Amino acid sequence: MRPEQLVRDHTVYSCVMGSRAFGLATEASDTDRRGVFVAPTPLYWRFEKPPTHVEGPLEEQFSWELERFCTLALRANPNILECLHSPLVERLDDTGRELLALRGAFLSRQAHQTFSRYALGQHEKLATDVRRRGAPRWKHAMHLLRLLMTCRDLLRTGELVIDVGDARDFLLAVRRGEVPWAEVQSRMTRLAAEADEAAARSPLPPEPDRARVEDFLTRTRRASAR
């Protein structure tokens, strides 16, 4: 079975991500699509296994096979967790609805470390840009601030909300380069400290509910085999 056929015929959940999902879209924004497909169980009985992910067939489209998606989500991968909470859902079947109903099972205090590590890596890239070019890539700076805000609020409330809400105007000003880099850095430092503080008393559990997710995956595979 061709990869694009897996996406076309076996997608259980797809959504729009990026600036459009974050409430930061402008007229020039792309439409980034992300999805989850379930490879039919009989494909795993062969020597050549189905792909864990597929790019396309549309532009700016990327999909994961269900098991890979769940594995990354259990590791609190920021991109994957945010994908589960997009307000812009384009395709959803019964399996997809059950996946979305499991969103809480993936959330844990592990998100503090994964979001923070990702943010640190992005900050180092921005700092390198400043040293080499005299300025950061402002779009990346905007998204790093957004990610830090999301992490802090997730740890405080136990809920993942990816729309930036009232922070939209400030973040778009950062993207336009209207906020001095020193102020942006100061905000990043403060947000990271607030996330550290929130992690200590977060309502999130220490670990995700792996057993609940595995039960869902097993039942899905069995249903596909039949």
Side-chain angles (χ1 to χ4, degrees):
M1 185 176 295
R2 297 174 62 85
E4 58 267 27
Q5 186 178 352
L6 287 170
V7 174
R8 185 181 67 246
D9 298 340
H10 299 282
T11 290
V12 299
Y13 170 65
S14 65
C15 65
V16 173
M17 285 300 297
S19 293
R20 297 191 184 281
F22 301 142
L24 292 168
T26 65
E27 292 182 359
S29 295
D30 294 328
T31 300
D32 300 320
R33 289 182 166 86
R34 300 293 179 264
V36 180
F37 63 90
V38 177
T41 300
L43 294 182
Y44 289 94
W45 301 339
R46 305 172 180 176
F47 286 120
E48 184 176 351
K49 307 302 180 187
T52 59
H53 60 270
V54 175
E55 292 190 49
L58 299 177
E59 291 187 12
E60 307 297 335
Q61 183 180 20
F62 192 97
S63 301
W64 296 268
E65 206 285 322
L66 178 64
E67 183 174 344
R68 179 60 175 167
F69 186 87
C70 288
T71 298
L72 292 172
L74 286 169
R75 294 174 185 169
N77 178 291
N79 292 325
I80 300 294
L81 291 182
E82 289 187 331
C83 184
L84 280 170
H85 292 78
S86 173
L88 304 176
V89 176
E90 291 193 319
R91 184 172 174 182
L92 191 67
D93 69 2
D94 289 342
T95 302
R97 290 186 185 90
E98 189 169 359
L99 174 64
L100 291 189
L102 280 172
R103 287 186 296 193
F106 295 106
L107 297 178
S108 73
R109 273 175 260 167
Q110 288 182 0
H112 180 222
Q113 296 301 320
T114 55
F115 277 65
S116 295
R117 282 198 301 268
Y118 184 81
L120 178 61
Q122 294 302 305
H123 183 267
E124 289 175 352
K125 292 179 182 179
L126 291 171
T128 298
D129 287 340
V130 172
R131 289 194 299 270
R132 292 178 177 175
R133 302 168 51 245
R137 289 181 173 84
W138 291 110
K139 180 180 178 179
H140 294 180
M142 174 192 73
H143 281 298
L144 178 50
L145 282 169
R146 181 204 63 77
L147 182 72
L148 288 168
M149 291 175 184
T150 301
C151 177
R152 177 202 59 190
D153 294 343
L154 168 61
L155 292 167
R156 282 178 173 177
T157 67
E159 298 181 1
L160 183 55
V161 178
I162 68 172
D163 189 286
V164 300
D166 294 341
R168 171 183 164 86
D169 289 343
F170 171 74
L171 290 171
L172 289 179
V174 171
R175 179 174 181 168
R176 293 192 297 267
E178 297 171 0
V179 182
W181 173 238
E183 182 179 342
V184 172
Q185 276 198 305
S186 177
R187 292 243 186 174
M188 290 176 179
T189 300
R190 185 169 74 249
L191 286 166
E194 291 172 351
D196 291 344
E197 181 181 354
R201 53 176 183 272
S202 176
L204 290 172
E207 305 285 340
D209 193 341
R210 183 182 178 90
R212 188 178 165 202
V213 175
E214 190 167 47
D215 174 71
F216 161 66
L217 178 62
T218 301
R219 287 187 288 102
T220 302
R221 290 276 191 248
R222 285 174 176 165
S224 174
R226 291 195 297 267

